[in-house]
Amino acid sequence: MANGLDDVVAADTVLSDVDGAGGHLTIRGHSLTELAGHWRYGQVVRLLFDGFFDELPGDAELERAIGKARVEVFERLQPMLGQLAPLDIYSAMRAGIALLPDGEELADALRLVAAPTVLTPALLRLTRGEKPVAPDARAGHAADMLRMLGGPSSPALAKALDTYLVTVCDHGLNASTFATRVVASTQAGLASAILAGLGALKGPLHGGAPGPVIEMLDAIEASGDAAAWLSDEIARGERIMGFGHRIYRVRDPRADVLKAVVRRLGTRSETGSRLAFAETVEQAALEVLKVAKPQRSIQTNVEFYTALLLEAAGFPKEAFSNVFAAGRVAGWIAHAREQQATGRLIRPQSRYVGPVPDLVA
């Protein structure tokens, strides 16, 4: 049986490798720890796009082009923002992206990179009764997102958010990336492929989980007893959000990267106290899970410290998946282009297990 396609190799890729047993993530020949906190998101976009677009410019020029794309997306979609704002924030972002041209050129790709970063703060501001802030093409990608959001901002927060975008830029053939590649294999445009990825990312078993981590932390803080709360959740058959991963059998390396980022932000008293509490919950969860599920190795995943980082950056929990998409979109685009280059339609077989009709002789 392969209902979840476990261990089925569906693509050869140069983009990323997830070592679930060793707990390592490689992105185009670079380890995650080599990239996160050291490469800017624009540089990683270029790394992922290299070889998939003709005449790809250098790092600095590409980052300027991404800045111009943010401005273009804002100008193109600003007249429709008021109609999108009543939707939930993720659906509104997805609907806005659906309004972009469905082309295959680098300019089309850069608009898709820019779109979540532009739409998310604009839509959040509208829901607060505030006017959207136009992008600044000269600003760094993460810094501009925080500036447009209008919340707390500093070079440290901008670097933290930039590190997050790099950390989640690509991660093997996960559900949203596979969905992207399936649509790309039909030779649909890049926007169509990215919309497929967005649909998959929304689910709580994929990118929709960081928000519930905050709800869990708040509930545990109110209860006053982390171990008891967690044990009760497991007894009811509930998932402990921020723990466990389909591929990793050891600690998710992205969790350690983001935990270090949050720790560096801990000079702000509120973030520091939140981190200390979260570390207590993390330890309690690992101990409870070890006792409750001794046959499985359930470790901290990327979503746990994602929630703390995005909360510190001023994003409400309902927008966490939007920011995840802002980082992952570059990986989706690269996978779409890689799949299109094969010229092969993804068309697996299914095994029919239903009733068989009587055949007339």
Side-chain angles (χ1 to χ4, degrees):
M1 295 294 291
N3 287 337
L5 298 182
D6 291 357
D7 302 321
V8 174
V9 176
D12 291 328
T13 183
V14 300
L15 293 168
S16 63
D17 178 60
V18 182
D19 178 357
H24 303 295
L25 173 59
T26 300
I27 299 174
R28 291 209 89 162
H30 301 270
S31 69
L32 175 63
T33 53
E34 181 184 349
L35 297 176
H38 304 286
W39 288 46
R40 297 183 303 277
Y41 184 65
Q43 292 177 291
V44 173
V45 170
R46 191 188 186 285
L47 176 69
L48 291 168
F49 285 9
D50 190 23
F52 298 123
F53 293 95
D54 295 333
E55 299 180 359
L56 193 66
D59 289 343
E61 187 178 349
L62 185 66
E63 289 185 85
R64 288 194 293 271
I66 293 172
K68 292 177 182 177
R70 291 195 302 273
V71 172
E72 183 180 346
V73 167
F74 184 81
E75 291 176 347
R76 183 186 290 264
L77 298 182
Q78 186 181 17
M80 281 77 79
L81 291 176
Q83 295 172 279
L84 298 176
L87 301 172
D88 70 83
I89 184 68
Y90 195 85
S91 296
M93 177 189 71
R94 186 171 53 183
I97 291 173
L99 297 171
L100 295 175
D102 201 8
E104 301 287 352
E105 302 301 320
L106 178 61
D108 300 302
L110 295 184
R111 281 191 290 267
L112 291 168
V113 169
T117 301
V118 171
L119 286 167
T120 301
L123 292 164
L124 285 172
R125 288 183 66 89
L126 282 171
T127 61
R128 300 195 303 247
E130 299 170 353
K131 185 178 179 180
V133 174
D136 180 355
R138 300 165 298 177
H141 197 59
D144 204 22
M145 190 178 195
L146 291 175
R147 188 189 64 82
M148 288 185 285
L149 184 63
S153 185
S154 68
L157 270 178
K159 184 175 177 61
L161 180 58
D162 191 73
T163 301
Y164 171 73
L165 298 178
V166 169
T167 299
V168 300
C169 71
D170 198 45
H171 198 249
L173 206 58
N174 55 81
S176 59
T177 298
F178 183 59
T180 298
R181 290 188 77 123
V182 169
V183 173
S185 79
T186 71
Q187 299 297 326
L190 286 174
S192 293
I194 270 53
L195 287 166
L198 284 166
L201 190 72
K202 186 179 181 183
L205 296 186
H206 192 16
V213 169
I214 294 298
E215 296 169 3
M216 179 185 74
L217 292 175
D218 290 343
I220 291 173
E221 188 171 24
S223 77
D225 189 332
W229 190 95
L230 292 161
S231 296
D232 287 345
E233 287 291 290
I234 293 173
R236 290 199 300 270
E238 300 292 337
R239 292 181 65 233
I240 304 301
M241 306 309 293
F243 295 87
H245 194 274
R246 184 69 171 266
I247 302 299
Y248 291 117
R249 294 297 172 261
V250 294
R251 188 179 176 87
D252 186 335
R254 299 169 299 172
D256 285 331
V257 167
L258 298 183
K259 183 176 182 178
V261 171
V262 176
R263 181 171 284 121
R264 286 194 290 272
L265 292 175
T267 52
R268 299 173 61 215
S269 58
E270 185 177 343
T271 301
S273 60
R274 186 68 150 168
L275 174 61
F277 175 70
E279 289 178 317
T280 300
V281 171
E282 179 186 21
Q283 188 57 43
L286 293 173
E287 292 172 0
V288 167
L289 287 165
K290 185 176 181 180
V291 172
K293 301 180 183 294
Q295 73 282 7
R296 296 175 59 193
S297 176
I298 302 178
Q299 301 294 324
T300 313
N301 66 34
V302 67
E303 292 154 356
F304 191 79
Y305 285 102
T306 287
L308 295 177
L309 192 158
L310 298 185
E311 182 183 57
F315 292 96
K317 62 181 183 293
E318 60 270 20
F320 286 179
S321 293
N322 293 54
V323 190
F324 198 148
R328 183 57 58 85
V329 65
W332 288 336
I333 292 167
H335 276 275
R337 296 290 290 186
E338 186 177 55
Q339 183 63 42
Q340 289 170 337
T342 71
R344 189 71 174 172
L345 176 70
I346 295 177
R347 179 37 173 106
Q349 294 292 323
S350 59
R351 181 186 298 113
Y352 180 68
V353 296
V356 179
D358 293 332
L359 300 178
V360 178

